[in-house]
Amino acid sequence: MTANLPPQYDPCATETKWQKYWEDNQTFKADPEAGGEPYCVVIPPPNVTGSLHMGHAFEETLIDVLVRYHRMIGRNTLWLPGTDHASIAVQTILEKQLKAEGKTRHDLGREKFLERAWEWKAESGNTITNQLRSLGVSVDWSRERFTMDEGLSAAVLEAFVRLYDEGLIYRGNYLVNWCPASQSAVSDLEVDQQEVEGHLWHFRYPLTDGSGYLEVATTRPETMLGDTGVAVNPQDDRYKHLIGKTVTLPIANREIPIFADELVDATFGTGCVKVTPAHDPNDFEMGKRHNLPFINIMNKDGTLNENAGEFNGQDRFVARKNVIKRLESDGVLVKIEDYKHTVPYSERGKVPVEPLLSTQWFVKIDPLSQRALEALDQSNSPVFVPDRWTKVYRDWLVKLKDWCISRQLWWGHQIPAWYAVSETKGEITDTTPFVVAKTDAEAREKAEAKFGKDVELARDPDVLDTWFSSGLWPFSTFGWPDETKDLDFYYPTTTLVTGFDIIFFWVARMTMMAGHFTGKMPFETVYIHGLVLDENGHKMSKSKNNGIDPLLLIAKYGTDALRYTLVKEVIGAGQNIRMEYDRKTDESKSVETSRNFTNKLWNAARFVMMNLEGQTPQQLGKPFTQVRSEDFSPQGDRTEVLTTNQVRSEDFSPHLGRTEVLTTNLTTNLSDRWILSRYYQVVQQTRTSLENYGLGEAAKGLYEFIWGDFCDWYIELVKSRLQQDAEPNSKKVAQQTFAFVLEGILKLLHPFMPHITEEIWHTLTQTGDDQCLALQAYPEPETSLINPELEQQFELLFGTIRTIRNLRADSDIKPSVKVTAILQSENEKECQILLDGSVYIKDLAKVENLTVTASLDAEPPLNSPFGKGGQGGSIAGVVGTVQVLIPLAGVVDLVALRGKLEKKLAKVEAEVKHTAARLTNQKFVDKATPDVVQGARDALAESEKQAEILRDRLKLF
């Protein structure tokens, strides 16, 4: 029974089927003992709270293309999946739930709260991974990791204790980003810089000696309550004479010094800067340099504390208004300016963060960053693609400051430090002594040895920054610190695929941690991709509410269509792509185009299989095997030996002038050689592009070959050879070529469109469930069959066929009517190519009589239906240097055609007149929207172009 595909492609059923098959059969399970060359990627772990957004879809598709390709070229491939525990995000969700119940986490207590967190993880934490499954990602699900699973938690403890014992982790007082809403320190990555319309307040600080005052300007007037100095630039002549004097701080009546510091921008405001070391990063640095007091005026909930005097207990923004009123009433407020500036917001708490002096845990960055810099400068490791990100990465390593790793949360890796609270009256203070250990028992043993058996211990309530655990991700996921087979074989990983926005926060953390703990950079290459922008070219964000749901597009068009669209849009590594999208209809033209491509492939595959008479590519055999050929001479001559049943035949093409020995008593055909040349050319180009991270270029090349060369041309060229009454040998070669190239196409396209290619391949090859396309070998180029000259010849033939078809359409010649055509070229080689390909021109352009001539003025060939110079009443076109003529006499009613063209021209000219009149009407131009006016201009240009074409056609009669 002949195997074939259903008439319609159903992406939903097909994609669900193969996603289940791959996972059930553990198709992508890696085996380090299998040996070979490893290719390993660890997934950038999405937050366990997340749901699939377009950025995820883009990134995972890019990774999957690379992973599937390297698997198919024979590398021992592992793509390791997993998720990040997302401390702040999970805690925010749970605290919202508790708030709805009228409770707080403190009502539950830490143990009960964590029980509830793990329950949430079990019920809702798999959303993102299940959605990743719908993308068809070829990960090894048996190795799925979670940053708080038992093994990774052990790795975190090991890393913390080692770093502490080496003096690289310390506890200290430092300025951190503080989120009053979540009441936790947040990392730089968790801060969203938002431009706001604010104000710049100017007020006067009187000189203590009564000789005048200094005017300062600030965007946060409430912080003046914590000022401990005023700074000026040492080169600013306006204030040099005041350096060393003091001013009296308004409201607080505190005497504070005037000093000089290079950090001051003399062009900002008045050139005098109020210095609040406990509440501003720059002020913090100046405060340390000039030994200023650090006065904290803020509580952790965003209210002001006792150091704020009369404003104690007021919310920071309420206090701001009241401080301004007080300054105004005291007569020191000078002016208020409108001022657009950037304010850091907590991504989780959705409120402005406060720089806050706080006792936290820190990692000393310098020794770690220096090792990463050495690897980069001495070995160019890792390699960044595109290379421009190398400098960005290097500059960041140079500028890094010590890393605050503690977070005031409960969900996460609890810091392994135990405080001897019996030494500080039962409370954890900034001076409470502590021990660091991996377990409670080890902590008690250390503490008793240090403080005696009666010591009372309390574990640090804070957790580690999630970037600490994800910084260990490339090696902790393989079992580190234990020596495992996976760690030995797959580490360092091969490629990291990630966005440019986390080079600083994740890529750098991984290289520093890996360099320190393993002595190796964690990946060979970092492939940096761009962003998926919305239909207007804007970055997608929750705040703008301009995201595009990939799951919606998958449901409408299929996973493969979305994947292909995302990859095909990439022009050059690292570039942003724009997603076409209609928000009114939730439709995307670009994804629809890719869906149409899947349908085109499906229908082409059905046609091929219907003409194979139930035979598989393996049963038919390759169309060419064991080829030995000499290169073309400049004249295009060569001798070729092709193995088969030792039957000798002359090639039908006198132009190519070669003799062949064919492999199976089969007559070869130029079109077969052409499609094989194109196929192997595309194989070579695709592999080269993928090896060099040209994923978009590879996808485009495949699209053009499959849709254009194979579907639009080769299928048409070969149809007549597949008829029941076709010559058997020619038919056999056509079937062989058909089957061979189609199977090759499926393999080439598989990394981009894994589901549809898997489905068609199984039907084409009639392979059982014990094999799958995903594990087949990727095609390799057969350079002896790549013939650029033959491809150029066919381009001329195709151009000629297109021109004849267009002329037929312009002349309203019915599809069933065959025409006479004259092809004229003064180039002898072109004439020979046209003669050699005459059978294709006649077949595909519906030509009955074809004349190829060097001159239209010369005596025509014997088979010409015209006398000398008798080409009147014809329609003409040009392709390259070839003139194409079709005589219309006897084919169409010339009088009727002329009348039809005149009528159409009159209609178009009327449209031109009407549209031009609208555009010269000033009322219309003034009242209509710009889009409507532009639309009218475009319509006028199009109508004028149509009128010009119609006039040219009428000149022929």
PDB file of all heavy atoms in Angstrom, residues 549-566:
ATOM      1  N   ASP A 549       1.841  37.276  22.843  1.00  0.00           N
ATOM      2  CA  ASP A 549       1.794  35.953  23.459  1.00  0.00           C
ATOM      3  C   ASP A 549       2.178  34.880  22.437  1.00  0.00           C
ATOM      4  O   ASP A 549       1.445  34.634  21.478  1.00  0.00           O
ATOM      5  CB  ASP A 549       0.381  35.686  23.990  1.00  0.00           C
ATOM      6  CG  ASP A 549       0.302  34.374  24.766  1.00  0.00           C
ATOM      7  OD1 ASP A 549       1.315  33.651  24.827  1.00  0.00           O
ATOM      8  OD2 ASP A 549      -0.783  34.077  25.303  1.00  0.00           O
ATOM      9  N   PRO A 550       3.314  34.210  22.624  1.00  0.00           N
ATOM     10  CA  PRO A 550       3.712  33.174  21.665  1.00  0.00           C
ATOM     11  C   PRO A 550       2.758  31.986  21.659  1.00  0.00           C
ATOM     12  O   PRO A 550       2.572  31.340  20.621  1.00  0.00           O
ATOM     13  CB  PRO A 550       5.107  32.764  22.142  1.00  0.00           C
ATOM     14  CG  PRO A 550       5.150  33.142  23.580  1.00  0.00           C
ATOM     15  CD  PRO A 550       4.295  34.361  23.714  1.00  0.00           C
ATOM     16  N   LEU A 551       2.140  31.691  22.809  1.00  0.00           N
ATOM     17  CA  LEU A 551       1.219  30.559  22.874  1.00  0.00           C
ATOM     18  C   LEU A 551      -0.015  30.802  22.014  1.00  0.00           C
ATOM     19  O   LEU A 551      -0.566  29.867  21.403  1.00  0.00           O
ATOM     20  CB  LEU A 551       0.815  30.289  24.324  1.00  0.00           C
ATOM     21  CG  LEU A 551       1.972  29.884  25.253  1.00  0.00           C
ATOM     22  CD1 LEU A 551       1.498  29.819  26.689  1.00  0.00           C
ATOM     23  CD2 LEU A 551       2.557  28.552  24.820  1.00  0.00           C
ATOM     24  N   LEU A 552      -0.438  32.053  21.941  1.00  0.00           N
ATOM     25  CA  LEU A 552      -1.581  32.390  21.094  1.00  0.00           C
ATOM     26  C   LEU A 552      -1.220  32.164  19.625  1.00  0.00           C
ATOM     27  O   LEU A 552      -2.017  31.611  18.851  1.00  0.00           O
ATOM     28  CB  LEU A 552      -1.976  33.843  21.337  1.00  0.00           C
ATOM     29  CG  LEU A 552      -3.277  34.365  20.702  1.00  0.00           C
ATOM     30  CD1 LEU A 552      -3.835  35.492  21.548  1.00  0.00           C
ATOM     31  CD2 LEU A 552      -3.050  34.859  19.280  1.00  0.00           C
ATOM     32  N   LEU A 553      -0.008  32.567  19.227  1.00  0.00           N
ATOM     33  CA  LEU A 553       0.418  32.390  17.842  1.00  0.00           C
ATOM     34  C   LEU A 553       0.647  30.914  17.525  1.00  0.00           C
ATOM     35  O   LEU A 553       0.390  30.468  16.404  1.00  0.00           O
ATOM     36  CB  LEU A 553       1.689  33.192  17.579  1.00  0.00           C
ATOM     37  CG  LEU A 553       1.525  34.713  17.649  1.00  0.00           C
ATOM     38  CD1 LEU A 553       2.870  35.411  17.453  1.00  0.00           C
ATOM     39  CD2 LEU A 553       0.528  35.201  16.609  1.00  0.00           C
ATOM     40  N   ILE A 554       1.117  30.151  18.509  1.00  0.00           N
ATOM     41  CA  ILE A 554       1.284  28.712  18.312  1.00  0.00           C
ATOM     42  C   ILE A 554      -0.064  28.055  18.061  1.00  0.00           C
ATOM     43  O   ILE A 554      -0.222  27.211  17.170  1.00  0.00           O
ATOM     44  CB  ILE A 554       1.995  28.077  19.531  1.00  0.00           C
ATOM     45  CG1 ILE A 554       3.484  28.448  19.518  1.00  0.00           C
ATOM     46  CG2 ILE A 554       1.826  26.555  19.540  1.00  0.00           C
ATOM     47  CD1 ILE A 554       4.238  28.016  20.755  1.00  0.00           C
ATOM     48  N   ALA A 555      -1.071  28.445  18.856  1.00  0.00           N
ATOM     49  CA  ALA A 555      -2.411  27.875  18.690  1.00  0.00           C
ATOM     50  C   ALA A 555      -3.000  28.210  17.321  1.00  0.00           C
ATOM     51  O   ALA A 555      -3.721  27.411  16.725  1.00  0.00           O
ATOM     52  CB  ALA A 555      -3.332  28.380  19.803  1.00  0.00           C
ATOM     53  N   LYS A 556      -2.670  29.387  16.825  1.00  0.00           N
ATOM     54  CA  LYS A 556      -3.256  29.845  15.551  1.00  0.00           C
ATOM     55  C   LYS A 556      -2.504  29.303  14.329  1.00  0.00           C
ATOM     56  O   LYS A 556      -3.103  28.935  13.322  1.00  0.00           O
ATOM     57  CB  LYS A 556      -3.272  31.373  15.521  1.00  0.00           C
ATOM     58  CG  LYS A 556      -4.034  31.981  14.336  1.00  0.00           C
ATOM     59  CD  LYS A 556      -3.985  33.496  14.395  1.00  0.00           C
ATOM     60  CE  LYS A 556      -4.812  34.055  15.527  1.00  0.00           C
ATOM     61  NZ  LYS A 556      -6.265  33.992  15.275  1.00  0.00           N
ATOM     62  N   TYR A 557      -1.161  29.271  14.436  1.00  0.00           N
ATOM     63  CA  TYR A 557      -0.367  28.941  13.247  1.00  0.00           C
ATOM     64  C   TYR A 557       0.504  27.690  13.389  1.00  0.00           C
ATOM     65  O   TYR A 557       0.991  27.180  12.381  1.00  0.00           O
ATOM     66  CB  TYR A 557       0.550  30.116  12.891  1.00  0.00           C
ATOM     67  CG  TYR A 557      -0.176  31.400  12.610  1.00  0.00           C
ATOM     68  CD1 TYR A 557      -0.114  32.469  13.512  1.00  0.00           C
ATOM     69  CD2 TYR A 557      -0.923  31.565  11.448  1.00  0.00           C
ATOM     70  CE1 TYR A 557      -0.766  33.664  13.258  1.00  0.00           C
ATOM     71  CE2 TYR A 557      -1.583  32.757  11.182  1.00  0.00           C
ATOM     72  CZ  TYR A 557      -1.506  33.803  12.100  1.00  0.00           C
ATOM     73  OH  TYR A 557      -2.159  34.979  11.834  1.00  0.00           O
ATOM     74  N   GLY A 558       0.728  27.251  14.617  1.00  0.00           N
ATOM     75  CA  GLY A 558       1.599  26.103  14.830  1.00  0.00           C
ATOM     76  C   GLY A 558       2.968  26.520  15.354  1.00  0.00           C
ATOM     77  O   GLY A 558       3.452  27.623  15.090  1.00  0.00           O
ATOM     78  N   THR A 559       3.582  25.610  16.108  1.00  0.00           N
ATOM     79  CA  THR A 559       4.895  25.871  16.699  1.00  0.00           C
ATOM     80  C   THR A 559       5.963  26.073  15.640  1.00  0.00           C
ATOM     81  O   THR A 559       6.770  26.998  15.711  1.00  0.00           O
ATOM     82  CB  THR A 559       5.301  24.706  17.622  1.00  0.00           C
ATOM     83  OG1 THR A 559       4.379  24.623  18.704  1.00  0.00           O
ATOM     84  CG2 THR A 559       6.697  24.896  18.174  1.00  0.00           C
ATOM     85  N   ASP A 560       5.997  25.192  14.649  1.00  0.00           N
ATOM     86  CA  ASP A 560       7.033  25.289  13.627  1.00  0.00           C
ATOM     87  C   ASP A 560       6.973  26.618  12.896  1.00  0.00           C
ATOM     88  O   ASP A 560       8.007  27.198  12.551  1.00  0.00           O
ATOM     89  CB  ASP A 560       6.895  24.139  12.624  1.00  0.00           C
ATOM     90  CG  ASP A 560       7.423  22.824  13.171  1.00  0.00           C
ATOM     91  OD1 ASP A 560       8.103  22.843  14.208  1.00  0.00           O
ATOM     92  OD2 ASP A 560       7.141  21.778  12.566  1.00  0.00           O
ATOM     93  N   ALA A 561       5.776  27.107  12.647  1.00  0.00           N
ATOM     94  CA  ALA A 561       5.626  28.386  11.945  1.00  0.00           C
ATOM     95  C   ALA A 561       6.189  29.525  12.790  1.00  0.00           C
ATOM     96  O   ALA A 561       6.884  30.415  12.271  1.00  0.00           O
ATOM     97  CB  ALA A 561       4.161  28.646  11.620  1.00  0.00           C
ATOM     98  N   LEU A 562       5.911  29.521  14.092  1.00  0.00           N
ATOM     99  CA  LEU A 562       6.442  30.563  14.958  1.00  0.00           C
ATOM    100  C   LEU A 562       7.962  30.456  15.051  1.00  0.00           C
ATOM    101  O   LEU A 562       8.674  31.456  14.933  1.00  0.00           O
ATOM    102  CB  LEU A 562       5.833  30.468  16.355  1.00  0.00           C
ATOM    103  CG  LEU A 562       6.387  31.481  17.369  1.00  0.00           C
ATOM    104  CD1 LEU A 562       6.087  32.912  16.937  1.00  0.00           C
ATOM    105  CD2 LEU A 562       5.838  31.227  18.764  1.00  0.00           C
ATOM    106  N   ARG A 563       8.462  29.255  15.255  1.00  0.00           N
ATOM    107  CA  ARG A 563       9.916  29.049  15.346  1.00  0.00           C
ATOM    108  C   ARG A 563      10.612  29.579  14.100  1.00  0.00           C
ATOM    109  O   ARG A 563      11.600  30.308  14.179  1.00  0.00           O
ATOM    110  CB  ARG A 563      10.233  27.553  15.511  1.00  0.00           C
ATOM    111  CG  ARG A 563       9.970  26.972  16.886  1.00  0.00           C
ATOM    112  CD  ARG A 563      10.125  25.451  16.870  1.00  0.00           C
ATOM    113  NE  ARG A 563      11.442  25.049  16.400  1.00  0.00           N
ATOM    114  CZ  ARG A 563      12.329  24.379  17.127  1.00  0.00           C
ATOM    115  NH1 ARG A 563      12.042  24.038  18.367  1.00  0.00           N
ATOM    116  NH2 ARG A 563      13.491  24.033  16.629  1.00  0.00           N
ATOM    117  N   TYR A 564      10.101  29.186  12.944  1.00  0.00           N
ATOM    118  CA  TYR A 564      10.757  29.566  11.695  1.00  0.00           C
ATOM    119  C   TYR A 564      10.735  31.073  11.504  1.00  0.00           C
ATOM    120  O   TYR A 564      11.717  31.662  11.036  1.00  0.00           O
ATOM    121  CB  TYR A 564      10.074  28.869  10.514  1.00  0.00           C
ATOM    122  CG  TYR A 564      10.983  28.727   9.315  1.00  0.00           C
ATOM    123  CD1 TYR A 564      12.070  27.863   9.351  1.00  0.00           C
ATOM    124  CD2 TYR A 564      10.776  29.457   8.158  1.00  0.00           C
ATOM    125  CE1 TYR A 564      12.924  27.720   8.272  1.00  0.00           C
ATOM    126  CE2 TYR A 564      11.617  29.324   7.064  1.00  0.00           C
ATOM    127  CZ  TYR A 564      12.688  28.450   7.125  1.00  0.00           C
ATOM    128  OH  TYR A 564      13.532  28.314   6.054  1.00  0.00           O
ATOM    129  N   THR A 565       9.641  31.697  11.881  1.00  0.00           N
ATOM    130  CA  THR A 565       9.544  33.154  11.761  1.00  0.00           C
ATOM    131  C   THR A 565      10.596  33.832  12.616  1.00  0.00           C
ATOM    132  O   THR A 565      11.285  34.758  12.167  1.00  0.00           O
ATOM    133  CB  THR A 565       8.147  33.632  12.189  1.00  0.00           C
ATOM    134  OG1 THR A 565       7.161  33.007  11.369  1.00  0.00           O
ATOM    135  CG2 THR A 565       8.019  35.143  12.058  1.00  0.00           C
ATOM    136  N   LEU A 566      10.737  33.391  13.852  1.00  0.00           N
ATOM    137  CA  LEU A 566      11.683  34.011  14.773  1.00  0.00           C
ATOM    138  C   LEU A 566      13.119  33.885  14.274  1.00  0.00           C
ATOM    139  O   LEU A 566      13.900  34.839  14.355  1.00  0.00           O
ATOM    140  CB  LEU A 566      11.550  33.386  16.162  1.00  0.00           C
ATOM    141  CG  LEU A 566      10.240  33.688  16.903  1.00  0.00           C
ATOM    142  CD1 LEU A 566      10.121  32.831  18.151  1.00  0.00           C
ATOM    143  CD2 LEU A 566      10.156  35.170  17.271  1.00  0.00           C
TER     144      LEU A 566
END
